[in-house]
Amino acid sequence: MPNADPRVALPTGERQYHIGLGPGEMAEYILLPGDPDRTARIATRLDTIEIERRHREFATVTGTHRGLRVSIVSTGIGTDNVEIVVAEILAITERPTFIRVGSCGALQPEIASGDLIITSGAVRLEATTSYFVHDAYPAVAHYEAIAALVEAAERLGHRAHVGITATAPGFFGAQGRPIPQLPIRYPDLAEEMARQRVLNFEMEASALLVLAGLAGCRAGVVCAVYAQRVTGEFPDGDRRDRAEAACVETGLESLLILAEMDRQVREAAADRWRPSLWQRS
C-alpha cells in the first residue's frame, strides 16, 4: 500500500528504508553506538541473538541480555545520521528507551583518558535539531537515564563524570582543531567550551536528546574519553579497548536498571519513577 503522504520517502511496506527493520524486530530498550563494528562487539555480550542486519552504516542486532530484550543499532557519525535512526526506530516501536554509547574528547583537566562522561545536557552546536525546535531549545537527558547510567557506572566500578556535553557538527574545524590547508572560523572553540564548564566534545548527543524528548521517550548518553583535549593525550589501543568496554558495560547495565525502574513504577501504580520506589522494592 503506498504511503498516504508522498513527502515521506519510504518503500512500500513497513520495513524501514535505512535500518532495514520492520515492526517486531526492534526491542524497546536500545543501545546506540556510532561505529557499526561496535554493534558486533557488543553483540558478543548478549545471551541470545534473534536478528542481525546491516545496511550502509546502520548495523543492528536484537537479542537478550540477562533476560531483557535489547537492540543495538549503530548510527554512524553525526547528528544527521542520528535523525535517520531515531525517526525509523520510532516508526516501528511503541516507546523506546535510548542509551548512546560513544567516544569523546575531554575538555576539563581532571578528566583522564579512559574515563566515562555521562551527559546531563548538550550544547547544540549542530544544525540538525534546528529543523525541529527553536534555537534556544535545550538538549536534556532524561533524569531516569542519567540516574541509571550513574548507578551502572558505580556498580561496575568505572570512573564517571556527569555534566554538559558539546555536540559538534564535525571532528576537525568544527571542534576548533587546526587544518593546515583550511581556515578555521572558531580556533578557540574548545577553550571557550571549557571555560563554560562543558566536559566533552562529541558528535551525536544533542540530536538524540532533542528528538527522543520530542517523542516522549527516554534517552541518555555515556561516552568513553578517547582524547584529552587539554593535554593532547590519546590512549593507546589497549587502553582505548578497555575504555570502550567500560562504556558498553555501563550502557548495558543501565538498560537493566531502567527496566527495573519501569517494573517498580508498574508495581507502585505510579505515574513516574522516583528514588523512594527503589527503596521499597
Side-chain angles (χ1 to χ4, degrees), residues 95 142-144 261-262 264-274 277:
R95 191 170 179 266
H142 196 283
Y143 78 98
E144 292 176 12
M261 292 161 76
D262 291 342
Q264 293 163 6
V265 169
R266 289 193 300 270
E267 291 185 354
D271 58 351
R272 63 176 60 87
W273 183 83
R274 58 186 188 275
L277 294 182

Side-chain angles (χ1 to χ4, degrees), residues 54-269:
R54 181 165 181 168
H55 183 227
R56 300 184 183 181
E57 60 264 58
F58 308 113
T60 301
V61 172
T62 295
T64 58
H65 176 62
R66 288 161 55 186
L68 179 68
R69 190 170 186 252
V70 301
S71 289
I72 308 151
V73 186
S74 62
T75 63
I77 297 175
T79 55
D80 49 348
N81 280 357
V82 170
E83 186 240 24
I84 290 170
V85 170
V86 170
E88 294 192 354
I89 289 175
L90 291 174
I92 57 173
T93 54
E94 294 295 326
R95 191 170 179 266
T97 291
F98 301 99
I99 297 293
R100 163 165 155 70
V101 286
S103 59
C104 68
L107 296 173
Q108 299 299 330
E110 69 273 15
I111 302 174
S113 61
D115 285 359
L116 302 181
I117 296 179
I118 296 166
T119 297
S120 57
V123 183
R124 294 168 49 220
L125 298 177
E126 41 76 29
T128 302
T129 51
S130 295
Y131 288 89
F132 293 86
V133 295
H134 190 278
D135 287 344
Y137 191 94
V140 182
H142 196 283
Y143 78 98
E144 292 176 12
I146 298 171
L149 285 165
V150 170
E151 177 65 21
E154 178 66 22
R155 287 183 185 183
L156 296 168
H158 298 316
R159 177 173 149 127
H161 311 262
V162 182
I164 302 296
T165 289
T167 298
F171 184 80
F172 293 102
Q175 295 185 28
R177 288 185 167 102
I179 304 173
Q181 303 89 340
L182 299 172
I184 301 301
R185 188 176 179 189
Y186 302 111
D188 300 323
L189 183 60
E191 290 78 9
E192 181 182 351
M193 291 293 102
R195 285 194 300 271
Q196 296 174 26
R197 292 301 303 166
V198 171
L199 299 190
N200 60 325
F201 263 134
E202 57 80 75
M203 297 171 60
E204 288 83 25
S206 62
L208 173 62
L209 300 181
V210 168
L211 298 180
L214 290 175
C217 300
R218 292 180 299 199
V221 177
V222 58
C223 288
V225 175
Y226 278 13
Q228 221 308 338
R229 294 291 300 271
V230 179
T231 65
E233 178 189 9
F234 279 78
D236 58 24
D238 288 342
R239 279 199 301 163
R240 189 166 59 191
D241 290 347
R242 290 195 298 272
E244 180 188 82
C247 185
V248 167
E249 291 167 3
T250 300
L252 285 170
E253 185 72 16
S254 77
L255 292 181
L256 296 171
I257 293 169
L258 285 161
E260 173 61 18
M261 292 161 76
D262 291 342
R263 184 190 66 79
Q264 293 163 6
V265 169
R266 289 193 300 270
E267 291 185 354

